[in-house]
Amino acid sequence: MKPPPQHARREPASPWRRGVKAVAIVAAVVVVAAVAVGGFYAWSLTSRLQEASVPLKDAPVEPPALSEYSEPFAVLVVGTDECDDVVAAAFGPRCSDPENDGARNDVNMLLHVSADPRRVTVVSFPRDLQVAIPECTNKDGSVFGGTDRASMNTSYEDGGLPCVADTVSGLTGQSIPFAAKVSFGNVVNITDAIGGVEVCIGGDGIDDPDAGITWDAGPRVVKGFDALAFLRTRYGVGDGSDLARIGNQQQYMSRLVNKLRSDEVLSNPGTLIGLANTAVNNIEPSESLADPIRIAQLAYTLKDVPFSEFTFVQYPVLPDPYNSNHVVPDEASAQVLFDALNSNAALALTGESNGNGGVVADPSAPTPAPDASAPVEGTPTPDASASPDASGTPGVVELPSNVSGTKADQATCSAGNG
């Protein structure tokens, strides 16, 4: 049996392509959490946002308002592998390689925020996930005719941020009204603005020449190029796969959310203003996000969301029967996930923190208190289609075991294999 036709592409040989450039994690902060602690700053930088903005098909029709955004919404956060001026000198041959001519969306995260009660779910999509890419028009006017099968990380070069949004929307069935893109240099600048993030290195430490790091096990504050290297490391964690790396990136996201909600950031006006200014200067937003009122309006919805309701998951996948280096969607498991999001059900993770061993539990973390919303052992668990309880709240949904992930109140460490 011949494999289905694929979108013909040149496969770059350079190892830096293989490392997921997880700058999108910081963009998520830019779009939501950072702004939640101070939206006032963006007035002076509105023009810069608008100059960089791009249109989206699902952008909201109604203008932003000085009132709470009451509807559920989704924000697509895209990290590209562009070798911009900030990192060109540091990365040397990786940035001068003629094979690296163009940008790919190596990180794709869909941040879903539910209505009352507010819950936040971040879904990460593997870069080599085989998906359908629709017809897209790039900034230079060139038209990509679409394909039934190609790697997720090729959609940005096909048509920029709008093309990635259309691709993810087609895969998930979710409307995507807001989106933002960041690159290599952006993550360096933004991470420095918050003074770095303390991560946990477990196992035997991380030894990854491709990412340029050799770190011992233990806690470590990463910022600037160190943060970028930590987010890019692949061969230094778990089984060395892209899927293991996603689990490691989710550790960073969880600890980043905790820091942004801490007094260290909230009570420091200088840090807030510096982060805000850096953020606005380091993202390419959709037109729907190029307005300070809208950004503050969306960010305000997150101010009281408990850490137990911040969930980071990986889109469920199956092995690609045509290429062992690729994966394909597990549509049945994905349907359970997105049905639960659409019904605003509480999510119960039944699988591992990361199915490919990217993270392990932090042995120094205190045992979390029992979650009152979790199902009692031995009792049936309602699914997303179950009737809501007397208060109108849907029941808890147990996600399939291959929807791996963690909650923001769970402490994990990189499963270093150095």
Side-chain angles (χ1 to χ4, degrees):
M1 178 178 179
K2 293 183 178 180
Q6 299 191 25
H7 183 34
R9 296 185 184 278
R10 178 178 58 204
E11 290 295 332
S14 175
W16 77 286
R17 281 278 199 199
R18 299 199 301 267
V20 168
K21 318 321 185 282
V23 296
I25 293 171
V26 178
V29 177
V30 172
V31 177
V32 284
V35 184
V37 297
F40 67 90
Y41 68 84
W43 289 104
S44 63
L45 299 172
T46 302
S47 61
R48 297 181 191 178
L49 281 172
Q50 293 176 341
E51 288 173 3
S53 65
V54 295
L56 292 182
K57 290 180 180 177
D58 292 339
V61 176
E62 76 283 359
L66 291 172
S67 61
E68 182 177 355
Y69 196 89
S70 59
E71 300 298 317
F73 63 92
V75 182
L76 176 68
V77 184
V78 172
T80 59
D81 62 7
E82 296 162 273
C83 226
D84 44 26
D85 292 340
V86 176
V87 300
F91 282 5
R94 300 176 189 172
C95 290
S96 60
D97 188 339
E99 292 291 330
N100 300 326
D101 57 346
R104 292 192 174 187
N105 50 304
D106 274 355
V107 174
N108 305 276
M109 297 180 180
L110 186 64
L111 184 148
H112 181 278
V113 181
S114 68
D116 188 30
R118 293 290 188 186
R119 296 186 173 97
V120 180
T121 305
V122 180
V123 183
S124 296
F125 300 86
R127 64 192 292 272
D128 292 322
L129 177 64
Q130 301 302 292
V131 296
I133 300 178
E135 179 178 307
C136 301
T137 302
N138 223 320
K139 283 185 176 181
D140 61 5
S142 60
V143 176
F144 168 66
T147 179
D148 291 334
R149 179 184 171 90
S151 293
M152 169 75 78
N153 75 330
T154 61
S155 55
Y156 185 82
E157 62 184 354
D158 289 332
L161 187 59
C163 193
V164 184
D166 290 346
T167 299
V168 174
S169 181
L171 174 66
T172 64
Q174 299 293 300
S175 173
I176 301 178
F178 309 105
K181 184 273 291 184
V182 290
S183 67
F184 267 174
N186 299 146
V187 74
V188 174
N189 294 334
I190 296 172
T191 310
D192 282 348
I194 62 172
V197 174
E198 183 177 284
V199 297
C200 173
I201 311 298
D204 297 322
I206 297 177
D207 183 6
D208 184 355
D210 282 349
I213 53 177
T214 302
W215 295 342
D216 294 331
R220 187 183 188 93
V221 175
V222 296
K223 57 183 177 180
F225 286 104
D226 277 355
L228 182 59
F230 178 78
L231 295 169
R232 288 183 56 243
T233 185
R234 170 178 177 178
Y235 299 110
V237 294
D239 63 3
S241 69
D242 181 55
L243 303 183
R245 178 167 42 196
I246 287 177
N248 193 50
Q249 292 165 359
Q250 289 174 344
Q251 180 217 158
Y252 183 91
M253 290 183 66
S254 178
R255 291 175 181 266
L256 187 56
V257 168
N258 278 269
K259 177 165 185 177
L260 286 165
R261 294 273 292 267
S262 70
D263 289 341
E264 182 180 348
V265 173
L266 293 176
S267 62
N268 190 325
T271 298
L272 290 177
I273 293 173
L275 172 59
N277 290 338
T278 303
V280 170
N281 285 319
N282 282 276
I283 65 170
E284 175 189 299
S286 60
E287 291 177 351
S288 52
L289 273 182
D291 188 299
I293 296 178
R294 176 70 81 197
I295 296 176
Q297 186 184 34
L298 296 181
Y300 184 76
T301 66
L302 305 186
K303 67 182 183 68
D304 295 322
V305 179
F307 289 137
S308 61
E309 294 294 355
F310 278 83
T311 307
F312 306 101
V313 297
Q314 177 188 293
Y315 183 90
V317 299
L318 297 169
D320 184 348
Y322 304 114
N323 188 330
S324 61
N325 294 320
H326 295 164
V327 290
V328 296
D330 181 345
E331 296 180 356
S333 295
Q335 191 67 51
V336 175
L337 169 63
F338 288 105
D339 282 349
L341 297 184
N342 292 338
S343 66
N344 195 12
L347 303 179
L349 297 168
T350 66
E352 300 177 5
S353 298
N354 178 235
N356 292 73
V359 293
V360 294
D362 184 349
S364 67
T367 303
D371 186 349
S373 66
V376 178
E377 184 176 354
T379 61
T381 302
D383 60 24
S385 62
S387 300
D389 60 24
S391 66
T393 303
V396 176
V397 172
E398 286 190 352
L399 297 178
S401 60
N402 66 334
V403 183
S404 58
T406 58
K407 301 278 188 175
D409 60 350
Q410 293 177 258
T412 59
C413 297
S414 305
N417 58 20

